[in-house]
Each structure stands twice: as structure tokens, then as C-alpha cells.
């Protein structure tokens, strides 16, 4: 594939039942093909066309399918202080910094290499980011691996090392739609999480942890994503909140993972379960997808709430909130973040 400015490689991996495609431009998941209950295949992630060019991915602003780093989500005032030194970031969302500013990892070309081992096939992307990149300290070496096994599990693995203390909270920004089209409002969601972070009028966490019981955020029993979504006021205007996992105050970033939740499509019979070793999951229901100026796959415009994201990682604005789980990586440490999406037909 050729773009206007760079040669891009698209990798496609399969386990014989499920397949996914990812490109080295932004470590981007472009397709995820899953069989419906009747055996017909359906693409369950949003994306742009990837024929003769990748214009949509180059110009798009919704981070569709892409890697997000160094720090996913919002940082208040676009600044933080680390070890006594103040760092200033891009103010790309009002006075705040979103997804690390204007120069995003999703617009970078990475090095990709495929592998097959022990019933697992995947691709690993690597890249070096110098000290001062995006305004953050530390030379950072990053590895992002997407792999598929015979149990129909798609794993996202993020690893990194630094030579100087730096904030780090990576995630992938895929929009899932198990119907394969339309919006996600009729799809069923169930979460093991009973708590979420309160946000202010700028969508910055206030520091308060809220009990979700009997609220629009209560998915302790499976219910439609759209059942109470319109009760959530602006500026979120839908789900764009960080939910706490069972690992919130335990072994975050270790080998232990927990089940966060699942979604299910009655239309296709596809179920997707989500597992992670991270403290939080930002659920974003695509509330502003219809503002995306670049057309999606097949030249079709994106639909409001046409996909739902499960952005695993640290809490938003953790660098400015001492009570939140630590997101600082130091030179004697290795960053390890793992998320698994398990697919089945019910």
C-alpha cells in the first residue's frame, strides 16, 4: 500500500476462523473478521478504506483502530510535575491535553514483524521515541503486539522501557460493533465493574469514585448499551468514562488479569469478552463519531454511536491525581500492559 508520503505495510493474521489486519502506520487494527452464529463472516471493527491509499487514517481525528500513547485520555491543564520538574504538553482539547497532543503515535510509521508460535500468530510493532517527544521526558523504546490464538482470543500486549522517569499509559482505540454496521445501542453489555470515575465539565476526573448501582452506569446485569445512554449529560453525551477493574488496588501491570466485561449482539450471535491487567477501562460509545469529516469504509460516513471502545490503561489525569494508581515508568522498570478480547458465538 502506498500513501501520499510513506510506504505502508498491512499484515493479516488468521487462526482459520477469525482473522485480523493491522498496519504499521499507527499500529492500527483495520479489520477484525469474526463468524456470526450462522457461519457468515462480519467485520466487527470500524475503519477507513485501505486500497490504494490510507488517506482516511492519515487525516482522521477519531484514532480509529490506532495505538494511543504516551498517555491515553486527558491530562488537565496540559501539564504535570514529575520529580520536581514541570512539563508542558499540547493543549489540543481546550486547556487540556487529549491522547498526548497534536503529534500522536497513530500518525507514526512503526516497524512491523509477524510471528507464529505455539498455536499463536501475530505481529509486533516497535518504535523509539526520543526524550522530549510530545513534551514527555525520557527516551522510550516501545513494543506493541497483536496476536490471535486457537481459543479465538485477540491479545493486545504493550511493553516499554525508558532511561528517565516518564508517564506511560498506552491503549488501542478500536471501535467495536458486533452487529457489523449501524449503531451499537441495541447490543447488550455486562460489566464486572461496579464503580467509575466522576468527571467535571471538561471530562477531567474529579478524583471521586462513584458507585454505579441503579444509575445509567450500572451494567451488573446485561442490558442494552442504549437503554439509559441519553440520561448522561454533556459534555460526554453518552459513555466516555473510566470504569474501575477488579485490579484497581492490587497487581496492576502484572501477569494477573481479570475479566472486565462483555458485549453481545443478538443480531449476529457474537459475544466478545474483555480481560485486562490494567486498573481502568475507558468506555467510549462513539458519541461524536458523526463529526468525523473523513468517510469510513466503503465511503460511508461514520454513524453517531456506531462503535464502542474499551480503552484499557491507567486512569485519566493520573499524573495530577496522587490517589490514582501510578502511571510513572522508571528506568529500572518494564512496562507491561495486556488486554484480551475473546470471541464466541452464543
Amino acid at each position: 500500500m502506498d500513501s501520499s508520503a510513506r510506504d505502508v505495510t498491512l499484515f493479516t493474521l488468521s487462526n482459520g476462523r477469525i482473522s485480523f489486519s493491522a498496519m504499521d502506520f499507527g499500529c492500527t487494527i483495520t479489520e477484525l473478521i469474526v463468524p456470526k452464529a450462522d457461519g457468515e463472516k462480519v467485520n466487527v471493527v470500524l475503519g477507513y478504506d485501505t486500497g490504494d491509499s490510507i488517506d482516511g487514517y492519515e487525516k482522521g481525528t477519531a484514532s480509529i483502530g490506532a495505538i494511543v500513547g504516551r498517555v491515553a485520555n486527558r491530562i488537565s491543564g496540559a501539564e504535570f510535575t514529575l520529580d520536581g520538574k514541570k512539563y508542558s504538553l499540547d493543549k489540543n482539547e481546550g486547556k487540556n491535553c487529549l491522547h498526548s497532543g497534536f503529534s500522536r503515535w497513530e500518525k507514526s510509521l512503526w516497524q512491523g514483524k509477524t510471528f507464529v508460535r505455539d498455536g499463536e500468530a501475530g505481529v509486533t510493532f516497535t518504535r523509539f521515541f526520543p526524550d522530549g517527544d510530545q513534551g514527555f521526558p525520557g527516551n522510550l523504546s516501545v513494543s506493541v503486539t497483536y496476536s490471535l490464538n486457537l481459543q479465538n482470543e485477540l491479545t493486545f500486549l504493550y511493553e516499554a522501557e525508558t532511561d528517565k522517569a516518564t508517564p506511560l499509559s498506552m491503549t488501542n482505540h478500536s471501535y467495536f460493533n458486533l452487529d457489523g454496521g449501524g449503531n451499537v445501542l441495541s447490543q447488550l453489555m455486562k460489566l464486572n465493574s461496579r464503580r467509575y470515575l466522576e468527571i467535571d465539565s471538561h471530562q477531567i476526573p474529579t478524583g471521586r469514585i462513584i458507585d454505579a448501582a441503579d444509575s445509567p452506569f450500572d451494567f451488573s446485569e446485561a442490558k442494552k448499551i442504549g437503554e439509559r445512554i441519553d440520561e448522561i449529560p454533556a459534555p460526554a453525551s453518552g459513555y466516555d468514562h473510566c470504569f474501575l477493574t477488579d485490579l484497581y488496588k492490587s497487581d496492576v501491570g502484572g501477569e494477573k488479569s481479570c475479566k472486565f466485561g462483555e458485549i453481545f449482539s443478538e443480531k449476529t450471535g457474537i459475544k466478545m469478552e474483555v480481560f485486562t491487567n490494567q486498573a481502568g477501562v475507558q468506555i467510549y460509545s462513539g458519541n461524536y463519531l458523526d463529526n468525523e469529516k473523513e468517510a469510513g469504509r466503503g465511503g460511508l460516513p461514520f454513524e453517531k454511536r456506531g462503535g464502542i471502545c474499551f480503552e484499557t490503561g491507567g486512569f485519566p489525569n493520573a499524573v495530577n491525581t496522587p490517589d490514582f494508581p501510578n502511571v510513572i515508568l522508571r528506568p529500572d522498570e518494564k512496562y507491561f500492559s495486556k488486554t484480551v478480547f475473546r470471541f464466541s458465538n452464543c
Side-chain angles (χ1 to χ4, degrees), residues 191 193-199 205-218 232-233 239-245 260 281-283 315 324:
L191 303 179
S193 176
R194 302 292 182 91
R195 295 175 296 175
Y196 68 97
L197 299 182
E198 180 184 63
I199 58 174
T206 64
R208 290 186 61 210
I209 295 173
I210 305 299
D211 188 333
D214 301 320
S215 77
F217 300 89
D218 186 355
I232 302 170
Y239 298 107
D240 193 3
H241 299 74
C242 184
F243 289 75
L244 279 58
T245 75
F260 171 71
V281 181
Q282 184 84 7
I283 294 182
F315 291 177
F324 284 177

Side-chain angles (χ1 to χ4, degrees), residues 13-20 119 121 148-153:
L13 290 304
S14 174
N15 67 358
R17 184 169 173 78
I18 292 174
S19 66
F20 75 92
L148 184 62
N149 66 18
L150 297 177
Q151 289 71 49
N152 297 328
E153 294 175 335

Side-chain angles (χ1 to χ4, degrees), residues 239-261:
Y239 298 107
D240 193 3
H241 299 74
C242 184
F243 289 75
L244 279 58
T245 75
D246 288 343
L247 299 179
Y248 157 49
K249 282 196 173 180
S250 57
D251 188 25
V252 174
E255 291 292 336
K256 183 180 179 181
S257 292
C258 65
K259 181 175 178 179
F260 171 71

Side-chain angles (χ1 to χ4, degrees), residues 158-231:
Y158 315 90
E159 298 172 285
E161 292 182 301
T162 183
D163 65 353
K164 186 187 298 183
T166 187
L168 189 62
S169 180
M170 296 186 275
T171 197
N172 175 276
H173 211 284
S174 287
Y175 291 77
F176 295 94
N177 186 328
L178 302 190
D179 286 349
N183 62 52
V184 297
L185 299 181
S186 66
Q187 291 166 47
L188 300 172
M189 183 163 69
K190 181 179 180 181
L191 303 179
N192 290 345
S193 176
R194 302 292 182 91
R195 295 175 296 175
Y196 68 97
L197 299 182
E198 180 184 63
I199 58 174
D200 64 18
S201 60
H202 299 286
Q203 293 185 262
I204 300 293
T206 64
R208 290 186 61 210
I209 295 173
I210 305 299
D211 188 333
D214 301 320
S215 77
F217 300 89
D218 186 355
F219 287 89
S220 55
E221 300 293 334
K223 69 180 183 184
K224 292 181 178 180
I225 294 170
E227 185 171 318
R228 299 183 65 181
I229 195 170
D230 289 327
E231 296 179 36

Side-chain angles (χ1 to χ4, degrees), residues 78-95:
E79 62 183 23
F80 64 94
T81 298
L82 177 59
D83 295 339
K85 183 176 179 179
K86 184 176 179 180
Y87 295 89
S88 297
L89 309 173
D90 293 337
K91 295 180 179 180
N92 65 324
E93 190 188 57
K95 295 182 179 180

Side-chain angles (χ1 to χ4, degrees), residues 36 39 78 97 99 129 131 172 177 179 200 225 232 236 252 305 309 321 341:
K36 300 191 294 185
C97 181
H99 294 331
F129 295 94
D131 184 18
N172 175 276
N177 186 328
D179 286 349
D200 64 18
I225 294 170
I232 302 170
V252 174
R305 297 169 180 164
C309 301
T321 313
F341 300 95

